[in-house]
Structure formats: structure tokens, C-alpha cells
Amino acid sequence: MKITGWLPVLALLVILAAKARAFDWTTWESPFEGATGSEMHFVEDGRLLLLYLEHGPSAPSRTLMLATYDRGSIISVPVDVVGPTDRSSDAHQFRLVGHGPDCWAVWRTEASDGSNSLRAARVAPGGSSFAIETVAGSDTGYDFDAYVAEDGFPRVFHTVLNASSASISRRRSDGNWETAPVLATPPNTYISDLALTGHGGTTLEAIACSVENLTASGTGSGYRSILDHYRAVEPSDWSTLSLTWGGQLWENETYPQNRSIATNLRTRWTPDGILAATYSRWLDGTAVLALLDSGYLERQKYYFGAAGTTAAGTNLACGDQGRIFVTYDTSGGPAYRIWQDGSFSATEVVEELTIQAFALETDVHGFPWIGGVQTSLVASPTLQFGTPELNTDVDGDGLIGFLEEAFHSNPLVYDPQNHPIIGTDEFGGQTYLTVAYLGDSGGTGENPYTTSQYIYAVEVSPDLDEWSSDPADVVHEDRFTISGRGTVNVVRSALPLGSLAGQYIRVRVVAR
């Protein structure tokens, strides 16, 4: 499916027209019988990676798959064959995390005796063959989360000893893993969920949800569930790593049943120094965004999903300008909202998506992408992902995000000075309508100019009705490359000004 954007431009009048579509949707049908779960991550070269689990009624085992999307091209390759497990669709089954050019998949396997272990593989940079490693100290744990630090290697926060304690394991550059015990629960208490992120190179931020059996402890009746925040600075000797308690965060509830207060915990450190977390409350099913400032003093909690939301869809991603994107499931399909300056935008339901277990991530421009796999067990699953902002002028400078990407301007910054330049120039003693635009390098042809991602075509019209890019009507005058930015094309009308009653010029851009 293609998005077409127009930038109609002329000497005296500027008009805008764009094909209205909420998402630039990409779909791909898998040859496998079914799929569950999804994780997404953008590497710094702009490629979108999507991790999901393939399976089907006749499949003796499940295969963890990695799909790579690069501007219209999708390649899906197996990462590992995962043994049968009763909870293959659980959100904690696998993680896809990265920093810069590095991306790692971390997943749980279950042996026939019921024991668990965590595996990891670097999936970017890399090809279709992945070296699988076992995460140290993860032999019996179930819940986990992972984070890739600035050194390009993962840290994995995971439960051990039937969830009565937790450790953080680190992968070193020499290929070895090392682990440090960091949490031990009181008697009659277990850890039900974990989340991990980091910032500043060596600082870790962790959230743990624990459940205490008050009846067994003799301190009451029922079960108490608590969310706690911890932080740590990585030491040179990993065995000495320890977490410092940052306080109870947002939730402390007592239930008659053995339940965790929060499910599908996710946490991120925002660019402006806020620790953000999302989760779904078991008590009423509402989706929650919780924030903690950089001094760990001011705590805020926002409810963004109505009661009955699905925990599998609760997620967050951080963009520029202090924006936090959150998703959750509704009866009408996946929904997203944007938090900025202390409040949420209205709920937007993504009706085009038919998937149930979906992921959320922001690209290199800070745009949110939502995607995942259709969870069908009887038909070939479909990968679906796209961004709601390609057809939106987020920064208010007159160009939608799709055109800002094509013209190498910033879709989140008001920068009309970087847009195509419209004017007049003299050639052979006559004055012509001209346009100069910055686009991708490495393209072919003069007009249209075709690159791996876009087709740029300068068109002229006498009446804003009929448009032409024919060489008889449009002349390509010049092309040059600006190092580190892109290639500039200069194009003019074939007829001098005054030859017709009206003359108009525009750049038409089509995504390949």
C-alpha cells in the first residue's frame, strides 16, 4: 500500500492536498499456521525489527521469528525453535530491545520437566543466523525484562527460585554472562512482574511487583500486591551490584485472591528525564501511565484506558518534545493516546488493525509505530504495522510527516526553511518558475527522480487541474549532493513566465 503526498507550489499561491489515510500500513502474510505475541524495535539505520512467535495446531514446537521491514521490503527468518509451553502468548515470553545499531532478542524456554531458562541472541547488526546464548542465573525464573545499555549489550532482570528472588544478568563484550542477586522477598511473598530500563550509560531503573500472602504471614487476610521502584549504578565488579529502594510506586492493594496488582509492566526513561511506566491494573482492568521525575520525588499517575482493557496491548514509547505514546486494547481495536504537558490527547482507535497482541515503538524521528501479528490459529497470520503520524503535520510548519521525511526536514520541529524552495530564475534571458528540493541520495533519472524509498516528480499545470511531468513541460536543470544531508534537484517549467495565463508547479512524492 502506498502513501502519496503532494506539495503543490507556485509563485503567488500555495495550495495543499494530501490523500487522507491515518496509517501507512504494511501487511505481510506468513507461510506459518499461526502466531502470537509481538515486540518491535527500530535500529538507528531506520529498519524496523519485529519479533513474534510462530506456531499452529500441527506444529510440534514453536519458532521465534524475526521480521525485518525496510521501506516496503519484509524478510522473516527464524531465531530459535522454542519448546512447547502452556503460556506461549504471555507478554513475558520474549523481549526485543536495543540501543543504536545493536538489537537483542531475549526469550524464555521451558524444558519438559517444567524448568525455565532465558536465552539471548544479537539480531542486529547481523544476518539470518544468530548465535544463541544462555542468560546466566536464569535457570528457574519465569518473569523477566531486558534493556540494552549504551555499550550495546543487554541487562536482564529476572526472577529465580520460584519468584522468591530476582537477579540482574549482564552480557559482557567478551561473550560471557555474569549475574548478581539483587532482590529477595520476605517469607510468603513472590515477585509477579518486573520491568527494567536505564540511562546515562550505567544507571539502571527497575520496577518490581510483589504479592504477599497476608494469611500465611499472620498479618491479615487475603493478598497484598505492591509496586516498588529501585535504582542502581553499575559497578565495575558485577557481583557487587545492588539495588537501592526508591519507594513504593502508585499502587498498594489488598485482594481476597492471589492476584498481582499490575500486569504487563513496561518502563522507559524519557529524553527529558522522566521515568515512565505502563501497566494494567488487575483490580478493574484500567490501563495506567505512571511517572516519576528525575529526582524520584514527584509521582504522578494517569488512567488512560477504560476498565476492561487487555493487558497484552498496554505499552508505551517515548518521542521528542516530551511526548509519551501509550496503547491499549478496546472492543473496536487497538487504541493509542499521547501524553504531553500533563494531559492526554483524545483516544484514537486504529480500526485498520485486526491484530490483538500488538507492540508500540518510536522511530528515529520520534514517530510512534503500532504493529504485531494477527493471532489466528487456522489461517496464515498477517504482520501489520504502521505509524499514525505520516499524514499529520505534527510541528505545524505546513508539511505532513511523510513529506518531511521525504524532504529530509524534521517532522517534529517547525523548520519551513528546510522545505522545497519555490521561486523564479533566468535561463537564456527569460524568466521561469523553478523549484529546488532536497531528497534522498543515490537515485536514478532526472524527473521523476527515483530512490530506494521515494519517487520525486516535479509537475506543472496551467490551471491546477491537469498536471504534467513530461520532459516537454518540465526541464531538469541541476543536481548536487550536500554531504550528510542528501541530494538537491533543481527543476523548472519549460515555458517562460507570461506564456500562459496561469502557471503552477509542485513536487509529487510517492513512497515505493
Side-chain angles (χ1 to χ4, degrees), residues 494-512:
L495 295 176
L497 287 176
S499 301
L500 301 171
Q503 285 184 288
Y504 307 92
I505 193 167
R506 72 183 183 183
V507 184
R508 183 171 179 264
V509 183
V510 178
R512 298 190 68 190

PDB file of all heavy atoms in Angstrom, residues 494-512:
ATOM      1  N   ALA A 494       9.100  24.366 -18.546  1.00  0.00           N
ATOM      2  CA  ALA A 494       9.677  24.510 -19.884  1.00  0.00           C
ATOM      3  C   ALA A 494       9.249  25.800 -20.563  1.00  0.00           C
ATOM      4  O   ALA A 494       9.914  26.263 -21.502  1.00  0.00           O
ATOM      5  CB  ALA A 494       9.279  23.314 -20.748  1.00  0.00           C
ATOM      6  N   LEU A 495       8.158  26.386 -20.104  1.00  0.00           N
ATOM      7  CA  LEU A 495       7.655  27.625 -20.692  1.00  0.00           C
ATOM      8  C   LEU A 495       7.973  28.802 -19.791  1.00  0.00           C
ATOM      9  O   LEU A 495       7.794  28.723 -18.573  1.00  0.00           O
ATOM     10  CB  LEU A 495       6.142  27.541 -20.904  1.00  0.00           C
ATOM     11  CG  LEU A 495       5.657  26.499 -21.923  1.00  0.00           C
ATOM     12  CD1 LEU A 495       4.136  26.472 -21.945  1.00  0.00           C
ATOM     13  CD2 LEU A 495       6.219  26.796 -23.305  1.00  0.00           C
ATOM     14  N   PRO A 496       8.455  29.925 -20.352  1.00  0.00           N
ATOM     15  CA  PRO A 496       8.756  31.094 -19.515  1.00  0.00           C
ATOM     16  C   PRO A 496       7.485  31.711 -18.960  1.00  0.00           C
ATOM     17  O   PRO A 496       6.380  31.508 -19.485  1.00  0.00           O
ATOM     18  CB  PRO A 496       9.458  32.044 -20.497  1.00  0.00           C
ATOM     19  CG  PRO A 496       8.965  31.643 -21.847  1.00  0.00           C
ATOM     20  CD  PRO A 496       8.750  30.166 -21.783  1.00  0.00           C
ATOM     21  N   LEU A 497       7.651  32.436 -17.872  1.00  0.00           N
ATOM     22  CA  LEU A 497       6.510  33.139 -17.287  1.00  0.00           C
ATOM     23  C   LEU A 497       5.922  34.099 -18.299  1.00  0.00           C
ATOM     24  O   LEU A 497       6.641  34.763 -19.051  1.00  0.00           O
ATOM     25  CB  LEU A 497       6.942  33.905 -16.037  1.00  0.00           C
ATOM     26  CG  LEU A 497       7.241  33.067 -14.792  1.00  0.00           C
ATOM     27  CD1 LEU A 497       7.760  33.955 -13.663  1.00  0.00           C
ATOM     28  CD2 LEU A 497       5.994  32.320 -14.332  1.00  0.00           C
ATOM     29  N   GLY A 498       4.582  34.182 -18.338  1.00  0.00           N
ATOM     30  CA  GLY A 498       3.900  35.044 -19.282  1.00  0.00           C
ATOM     31  C   GLY A 498       3.421  34.321 -20.511  1.00  0.00           C
ATOM     32  O   GLY A 498       2.620  34.855 -21.293  1.00  0.00           O
ATOM     33  N   SER A 499       3.903  33.087 -20.727  1.00  0.00           N
ATOM     34  CA  SER A 499       3.485  32.324 -21.913  1.00  0.00           C
ATOM     35  C   SER A 499       2.053  31.847 -21.795  1.00  0.00           C
ATOM     36  O   SER A 499       1.370  31.643 -22.796  1.00  0.00           O
ATOM     37  CB  SER A 499       4.404  31.114 -22.104  1.00  0.00           C
ATOM     38  OG  SER A 499       5.746  31.506 -22.265  1.00  0.00           O
ATOM     39  N   LEU A 500       1.610  31.622 -20.565  1.00  0.00           N
ATOM     40  CA  LEU A 500       0.257  31.142 -20.307  1.00  0.00           C
ATOM     41  C   LEU A 500      -0.427  32.063 -19.307  1.00  0.00           C
ATOM     42  O   LEU A 500       0.241  32.793 -18.548  1.00  0.00           O
ATOM     43  CB  LEU A 500       0.287  29.708 -19.767  1.00  0.00           C
ATOM     44  CG  LEU A 500       0.930  28.639 -20.659  1.00  0.00           C
ATOM     45  CD1 LEU A 500       1.066  27.335 -19.887  1.00  0.00           C
ATOM     46  CD2 LEU A 500       0.108  28.435 -21.928  1.00  0.00           C
ATOM     47  N   ALA A 501      -1.743  31.987 -19.263  1.00  0.00           N
ATOM     48  CA  ALA A 501      -2.487  32.813 -18.319  1.00  0.00           C
ATOM     49  C   ALA A 501      -2.174  32.438 -16.879  1.00  0.00           C
ATOM     50  O   ALA A 501      -2.173  33.275 -15.976  1.00  0.00           O
ATOM     51  CB  ALA A 501      -3.985  32.688 -18.592  1.00  0.00           C
ATOM     52  N   GLY A 502      -1.901  31.157 -16.645  1.00  0.00           N
ATOM     53  CA  GLY A 502      -1.547  30.700 -15.299  1.00  0.00           C
ATOM     54  C   GLY A 502      -0.473  29.630 -15.373  1.00  0.00           C
ATOM     55  O   GLY A 502      -0.444  28.824 -16.316  1.00  0.00           O
ATOM     56  N   GLN A 503       0.428  29.653 -14.404  1.00  0.00           N
ATOM     57  CA  GLN A 503       1.449  28.632 -14.336  1.00  0.00           C
ATOM     58  C   GLN A 503       1.643  28.215 -12.879  1.00  0.00           C
ATOM     59  O   GLN A 503       1.782  29.068 -12.004  1.00  0.00           O
ATOM     60  CB  GLN A 503       2.782  29.135 -14.903  1.00  0.00           C
ATOM     61  CG  GLN A 503       2.810  29.221 -16.421  1.00  0.00           C
ATOM     62  CD  GLN A 503       4.187  29.632 -16.920  1.00  0.00           C
ATOM     63  OE1 GLN A 503       4.593  30.781 -16.771  1.00  0.00           O
ATOM     64  NE2 GLN A 503       4.899  28.706 -17.517  1.00  0.00           N
ATOM     65  N   TYR A 504       1.650  26.911 -12.666  1.00  0.00           N
ATOM     66  CA  TYR A 504       1.761  26.380 -11.323  1.00  0.00           C
ATOM     67  C   TYR A 504       2.757  25.213 -11.340  1.00  0.00           C
ATOM     68  O   TYR A 504       2.898  24.511 -12.353  1.00  0.00           O
ATOM     69  CB  TYR A 504       0.395  25.900 -10.822  1.00  0.00           C
ATOM     70  CG  TYR A 504      -0.687  26.943 -10.944  1.00  0.00           C
ATOM     71  CD1 TYR A 504      -1.492  27.014 -12.087  1.00  0.00           C
ATOM     72  CD2 TYR A 504      -0.879  27.876  -9.927  1.00  0.00           C
ATOM     73  CE1 TYR A 504      -2.465  27.979 -12.205  1.00  0.00           C
ATOM     74  CE2 TYR A 504      -1.865  28.843 -10.035  1.00  0.00           C
ATOM     75  CZ  TYR A 504      -2.653  28.897 -11.176  1.00  0.00           C
ATOM     76  OH  TYR A 504      -3.617  29.865 -11.288  1.00  0.00           O
ATOM     77  N   ILE A 505       3.425  25.000 -10.226  1.00  0.00           N
ATOM     78  CA  ILE A 505       4.426  23.943 -10.136  1.00  0.00           C
ATOM     79  C   ILE A 505       4.335  23.270  -8.775  1.00  0.00           C
ATOM     80  O   ILE A 505       3.990  23.925  -7.777  1.00  0.00           O
ATOM     81  CB  ILE A 505       5.856  24.519 -10.368  1.00  0.00           C
ATOM     82  CG1 ILE A 505       6.869  23.384 -10.586  1.00  0.00           C
ATOM     83  CG2 ILE A 505       6.276  25.440  -9.223  1.00  0.00           C
ATOM     84  CD1 ILE A 505       8.205  23.900 -11.124  1.00  0.00           C
ATOM     85  N   ARG A 506       4.581  21.969  -8.721  1.00  0.00           N
ATOM     86  CA  ARG A 506       4.504  21.242  -7.465  1.00  0.00           C
ATOM     87  C   ARG A 506       5.494  20.061  -7.504  1.00  0.00           C
ATOM     88  O   ARG A 506       5.940  19.638  -8.577  1.00  0.00           O
ATOM     89  CB  ARG A 506       3.095  20.716  -7.197  1.00  0.00           C
ATOM     90  CG  ARG A 506       2.680  19.546  -8.072  1.00  0.00           C
ATOM     91  CD  ARG A 506       1.232  19.129  -7.804  1.00  0.00           C
ATOM     92  NE  ARG A 506       0.848  17.952  -8.583  1.00  0.00           N
ATOM     93  CZ  ARG A 506      -0.369  17.427  -8.583  1.00  0.00           C
ATOM     94  NH1 ARG A 506      -1.324  17.986  -7.844  1.00  0.00           N
ATOM     95  NH2 ARG A 506      -0.642  16.351  -9.318  1.00  0.00           N
ATOM     96  N   VAL A 507       5.811  19.530  -6.331  1.00  0.00           N
ATOM     97  CA  VAL A 507       6.585  18.307  -6.226  1.00  0.00           C
ATOM     98  C   VAL A 507       5.645  17.216  -5.699  1.00  0.00           C
ATOM     99  O   VAL A 507       5.026  17.378  -4.649  1.00  0.00           O
ATOM    100  CB  VAL A 507       7.784  18.457  -5.248  1.00  0.00           C
ATOM    101  CG1 VAL A 507       8.610  17.164  -5.260  1.00  0.00           C
ATOM    102  CG2 VAL A 507       8.650  19.632  -5.639  1.00  0.00           C
ATOM    103  N   ARG A 508       5.581  16.132  -6.447  1.00  0.00           N
ATOM    104  CA  ARG A 508       4.741  14.994  -6.041  1.00  0.00           C
ATOM    105  C   ARG A 508       5.657  13.880  -5.558  1.00  0.00           C
ATOM    106  O   ARG A 508       6.624  13.514  -6.223  1.00  0.00           O
ATOM    107  CB  ARG A 508       3.893  14.521  -7.221  1.00  0.00           C
ATOM    108  CG  ARG A 508       2.939  13.390  -6.913  1.00  0.00           C
ATOM    109  CD  ARG A 508       2.012  13.169  -8.108  1.00  0.00           C
ATOM    110  NE  ARG A 508       1.087  12.080  -7.893  1.00  0.00           N
ATOM    111  CZ  ARG A 508       1.282  10.835  -8.306  1.00  0.00           C
ATOM    112  NH1 ARG A 508       2.398  10.533  -8.934  1.00  0.00           N
ATOM    113  NH2 ARG A 508       0.396   9.897  -8.079  1.00  0.00           N
ATOM    114  N   VAL A 509       5.358  13.323  -4.383  1.00  0.00           N
ATOM    115  CA  VAL A 509       6.205  12.303  -3.794  1.00  0.00           C
ATOM    116  C   VAL A 509       5.373  11.038  -3.553  1.00  0.00           C
ATOM    117  O   VAL A 509       4.291  11.101  -2.974  1.00  0.00           O
ATOM    118  CB  VAL A 509       6.808  12.771  -2.445  1.00  0.00           C
ATOM    119  CG1 VAL A 509       7.748  11.705  -1.895  1.00  0.00           C
ATOM    120  CG2 VAL A 509       7.560  14.090  -2.619  1.00  0.00           C
ATOM    121  N   VAL A 510       5.922   9.903  -3.982  1.00  0.00           N
ATOM    122  CA  VAL A 510       5.264   8.614  -3.807  1.00  0.00           C
ATOM    123  C   VAL A 510       6.227   7.684  -3.065  1.00  0.00           C
ATOM    124  O   VAL A 510       7.406   7.584  -3.440  1.00  0.00           O
ATOM    125  CB  VAL A 510       4.862   7.988  -5.152  1.00  0.00           C
ATOM    126  CG1 VAL A 510       4.230   6.616  -4.931  1.00  0.00           C
ATOM    127  CG2 VAL A 510       3.911   8.902  -5.917  1.00  0.00           C
ATOM    128  N   ALA A 511       5.764   7.041  -2.019  1.00  0.00           N
ATOM    129  CA  ALA A 511       6.586   6.056  -1.310  1.00  0.00           C
ATOM    130  C   ALA A 511       6.632   4.766  -2.108  1.00  0.00           C
ATOM    131  O   ALA A 511       5.595   4.284  -2.589  1.00  0.00           O
ATOM    132  CB  ALA A 511       6.023   5.781   0.078  1.00  0.00           C
ATOM    133  N   ARG A 512       7.822   4.217  -2.262  1.00  0.00           N
ATOM    134  CA  ARG A 512       7.969   2.969  -3.026  1.00  0.00           C
ATOM    135  C   ARG A 512       7.605   1.756  -2.177  1.00  0.00           C
ATOM    136  O   ARG A 512       7.800   1.791  -0.966  1.00  0.00           O
ATOM    137  CB  ARG A 512       9.407   2.844  -3.529  1.00  0.00           C
ATOM    138  CG  ARG A 512       9.803   3.974  -4.479  1.00  0.00           C
ATOM    139  CD  ARG A 512      11.126   3.671  -5.120  1.00  0.00           C
ATOM    140  NE  ARG A 512      10.988   2.540  -6.037  1.00  0.00           N
ATOM    141  CZ  ARG A 512      12.034   1.919  -6.595  1.00  0.00           C
ATOM    142  NH1 ARG A 512      13.261   2.319  -6.289  1.00  0.00           N
ATOM    143  NH2 ARG A 512      11.862   0.904  -7.401  1.00  0.00           N
TER     144      ARG A 512
END
